[in-house]
Amino acid sequence: KFESDNKSDGGGIAIRVKEIPATIFELKEIKNLEIAFIDEINIPEKLSEIKIETLKLSGKINNAEIKQIKKMFPDTQLIINRETIE
């Protein structure tokens, strides 16, 4: 399912989760990934191994965690809680 969502022109993969499903890590490249976390945003290091063009996250997060995610995805357009991270 993720693979077909990723290839569609409709904008990519959008999920609402407590944690990222393991099947996401099977993809090599993701155009748009939108993850709505039910509670706190939790990004495993493993996700940074995937080339992601645009990553939209929503959920509870603090400034230190935002900086950490920014470091993990230097070449990705990051949008966290509807705010573009520069």
Side-chain angles (χ1 to χ4, degrees):
K1 165 129 178 60
F2 292 139
E3 228 168 274
S4 64
D5 287 352
N6 192 32
K7 287 182 179 138
S8 77
D9 294 334
I13 299 168
I15 53 176
R16 182 173 161 79
V17 294
K18 204 162 182 56
E19 61 184 44
I20 298 172
T23 49
I24 285 277
F25 304 115
E26 294 170 15
L27 300 169
K28 299 274 179 266
E29 224 174 275
I30 301 173
K31 193 174 183 130
N32 293 308
L33 178 59
E34 187 170 346
I35 307 171
F37 284 91
I38 292 162
D39 195 22
E40 291 183 8
I41 293 176
N42 178 16
I43 303 295
E45 193 68 40
K46 197 173 181 185
L47 191 65
S48 66
E49 296 167 14
I50 301 170
K51 184 182 185 298
I52 302 172
E53 271 183 46
T54 304
L55 179 59
K56 290 182 185 175
L57 303 171
S58 61
K60 294 179 194 162
I61 192 164
N62 64 38
N63 285 338
E65 292 165 326
I66 289 172
K67 283 182 185 155
Q68 178 62 32
I69 292 170
K70 195 177 158 183
K71 263 190 222 159
M72 288 169 67
F73 300 96
D75 301 323
T76 298
Q77 180 190 5
L78 269 182
I79 301 165
I80 299 176
N81 292 328
R82 289 187 222 88
E83 197 176 305
T84 300
I85 308 302
E86 297 298 335

